Amino acid sequence: LNFSALKITNLCTISVWSLEQPEWHCKIDEGSAGLVASSWSPDGRHILNTTEFHLRITVWSLCTKSVSYIKYPKACQQGLAFTKDGRFLALVERRDCKDYVSLFVCSDWQLLRHFEIDTQDAAGIDWAPNGCVLAVWDSCLEYKVLLFSLDGRLLSTYSAYEWSLGVKSLTWSPSSQFLAIGSYDGKVRILNHVTWAKIAEFDHPVNIADPKTVVYKEVEKTPAVDLEKLTFPPSKRMASALFSRKTKYEVVQAPIPLHHVKPPTDRANPRIGVAMLAFSSDNSFLATKNDNLPNTVWIWDVQKMKLYGVLEHLGPIQHFHWDPKQPRLALCTGNMKMYLWSAAGCASVQIPMEGDFKVTSLCWHPSEDSLILLSKDNFCLCYLEREEATKQLDQKRS
């Protein structure tokens, strides 16, 4: 069976459907233990349920109907991570006021390694794509990144500074050669996989001064309306033309100031620092977003370790995601548009949906010919015509 649909129906029950056999359906009830999170295993044959108060993780097999239990999971930002090949699971645990990491074999969910980690309050873990190194980072109160081998050996510890807010985001390059760390100081630091030393540091200035930097700025264009043909009350078509908001990218020559916000210092969880960063699938580019500059996406050339381009929008960036097969970035800003960037240029695409469909998140299909777009209450599939998409980018470039 191909299990492809999962839904949390209430606080203790989830439902599962099969796309290949629509008549197949099952429910999993956690009972009085409750349910706070549910996720698939990489093989698509197991479901991992986290009970209330993070008392345990229950692993349900949809094929054999067997059940396994994992105790002491820690409630943190990213406390569970699978290797890319799906062979191993790493889990952050909290016991006796100390942090630990347990490694499990996903074939039978048996414990492989268990070791203590030197963190005050571990915030997350992430495997390198090759599955050889596990990165662990501490809470925002302390800048510390620990790197462990598969057998639990500590390979290196990295700390950029002390006595200030530390790591906010972290991601590996697809080749596992680089580890990018986004910090609350608004900088991205790149570590190499040989010595685990910093080889580059990317800043996010408020003003773009280098005239060689390509800056794409989203501008709003109101369509022209023939006043002689304007009637009152206007027809639906005329009203749509009057009030529609069409935007496009324009190339702006540096120097140019970027829209920035000054976060309040008297409130908890200030919106500062690098919150989003992702490498392209071919390891050529790195996209970043600094919360101090909420409308801007920065594109960095990984080979030359320098800024490649800047995209400034009318609204704050909600999400971005790289094409899984080519260096093409899709992003959204919470409106009815989707934006595409590649080295050839940029394009602003209107979502052909009725009603108020504001895109807050998106994700590429592995085949790269479609995306799933999500709003607050709905989602839709967006299919790209390759020739049309290429033509749009060429037009924007010219």
Side-chain angles (χ1 to χ4, degrees):
L1 291 177
N2 181 13
F3 309 105
S4 301
L6 182 150
K7 178 183 179 182
I8 300 178
T9 55
N10 54 48
L11 295 179
C12 60
T13 306
I14 65 171
S15 298
V16 186
W17 291 269
S18 170
L19 295 184
E20 292 182 349
Q21 299 182 16
E23 69 279 1
W24 189 93
H25 170 243
C26 84
K27 286 186 177 181
I28 299 176
D29 192 343
E30 290 289 348
S32 60
L35 183 65
V36 295
S38 185
S39 61
W40 290 100
S41 64
D43 62 5
R45 298 181 179 182
H46 297 82
I47 294 177
L48 284 73
N49 290 340
T50 304
T51 61
E52 285 188 316
F53 307 109
H54 285 75
L55 297 178
R56 70 175 185 231
I57 292 178
T58 309
V59 183
W60 298 84
S61 173
L62 298 179
C63 296
T64 65
K65 299 182 181 180
S66 62
V67 181
S68 302
Y69 298 99
I70 301 175
K71 296 182 179 180
Y72 312 114
K74 183 180 180 180
C76 58
Q77 176 185 350
Q78 188 176 325
L80 183 149
F82 289 94
T83 54
K84 189 176 181 180
D85 58 11
R87 295 177 58 193
F88 303 105
L89 164 68
L91 179 72
V92 179
E93 300 179 357
R94 187 73 173 179
R95 303 184 187 183
D96 302 324
C97 300
K98 295 181 180 180
D99 290 328
Y100 297 85
V101 168
S102 290
L103 304 181
F104 296 89
V105 180
C106 295
S107 58
D108 54 9
W109 303 103
Q110 294 298 311
L111 181 64
L112 177 66
R113 292 284 188 277
H114 177 75
F115 51 91
E116 184 179 349
I117 54 178
D118 183 22
T119 53
Q120 296 293 329
D121 184 15
I125 55 177
D126 193 22
W127 285 102
N130 60 12
C132 295
V133 181
L134 178 69
V136 182
W137 63 95
D138 215 330
S139 71
C140 63
L141 299 179
E142 183 172 356
Y143 197 119
K144 181 184 286 188
V145 178
L146 307 174
L147 299 162
F148 294 93
S149 63
L150 187 58
D151 58 3
R153 290 181 296 111
L154 179 63
L155 300 176
S156 182
T157 301
Y158 178 76
S159 178
Y161 50 80
E162 296 180 347
W163 314 115
S164 186
L165 294 178
V167 177
K168 188 168 187 177
S169 56
L170 180 147
T171 189
W172 290 91
S173 66
S175 64
S176 302
Q177 292 178 311
F178 305 113
L179 177 63
I181 305 172
S183 310
Y184 278 89
D185 65 349
K187 297 180 180 180
V188 175
R189 294 167 176 86
I190 308 295
L191 308 186
N192 73 85
H193 74 296
V194 179
T195 63
W196 302 112
K198 183 184 72 174
I199 59 173
E201 184 175 290
F202 301 150
D203 199 0
H204 299 78
V206 175
N207 298 291
I208 303 298
D210 188 356
K212 296 181 180 179
T213 302
V214 180
V215 180
Y216 292 96
K217 185 179 181 67
E218 183 188 13
V219 294
E220 186 174 318
K221 295 293 183 181
T222 303
V225 178
D226 191 350
L227 296 179
E228 295 181 357
K229 297 181 180 180
L230 182 63
T231 60
F232 186 83
S235 62
K236 290 184 178 181
R237 185 176 181 180
M238 185 66 68
S240 176
L242 282 171
F243 298 104
S244 63
R245 298 180 60 186
K246 294 185 177 181
T247 63
K248 69 173 185 177
Y249 283 110
E250 288 185 353
V251 178
V252 183
Q253 187 68 30
I256 176 176
L258 301 174
H259 170 71
H260 66 282
V261 295
K262 187 176 181 180
T265 57
D266 57 345
R267 296 182 183 179
N269 302 317
R271 289 187 171 273
I272 58 175
V274 181
M276 299 169 59
L277 66 171
F279 285 93
S280 61
S281 58
D282 64 350
N283 214 58
S284 298
F285 299 102
L286 172 68
T288 63
K289 176 209 169 185
N290 185 4
D291 280 348
N292 300 73
L293 302 155
N295 298 3
T296 305
V297 174
W298 307 70
I299 309 294
W300 306 88
D301 189 325
V302 176
Q303 295 181 351
K304 298 180 180 179
M305 289 294 173
K306 69 176 185 178
L307 185 62
Y308 186 89
V310 176
L311 287 69
E312 187 180 22
H313 302 83
L314 297 174
I317 306 300
Q318 301 293 322
H319 188 71
F320 56 67
H321 193 220
W322 285 101
D323 187 317
K325 292 188 177 181
Q326 59 176 301
R328 178 172 55 177
L329 185 70
L331 56 104
C332 58
T333 61
N335 55 19
M336 294 187 65
K337 298 180 180 65
M338 178 186 67
Y339 305 89
L340 294 173
W341 175 91
S342 74
C346 294
S348 172
V349 183
Q350 185 75 26
I351 306 300
M353 289 281 291
E354 296 182 358
D356 191 20
F357 186 85
K358 296 181 179 180
V359 186
T360 58
S361 182
L362 47 78
C363 181
W364 286 93
H365 188 274
S367 65
E368 77 165 343
D369 61 351
S370 62
L371 299 98
I372 185 169
L373 310 177
L374 289 88
S375 68
K376 183 179 179 181
D377 302 312
N378 302 289
F379 76 93
C380 74
L381 288 174
C382 175
Y383 291 90
L384 301 180
E385 296 181 5
R386 297 178 184 273
E387 295 182 359
E388 184 66 24
T390 303
K391 186 185 299 183
Q392 286 186 7
L393 290 176
D394 290 341
Q395 290 176 354
K396 297 297 179 181
R397 187 181 182 184
S398 61

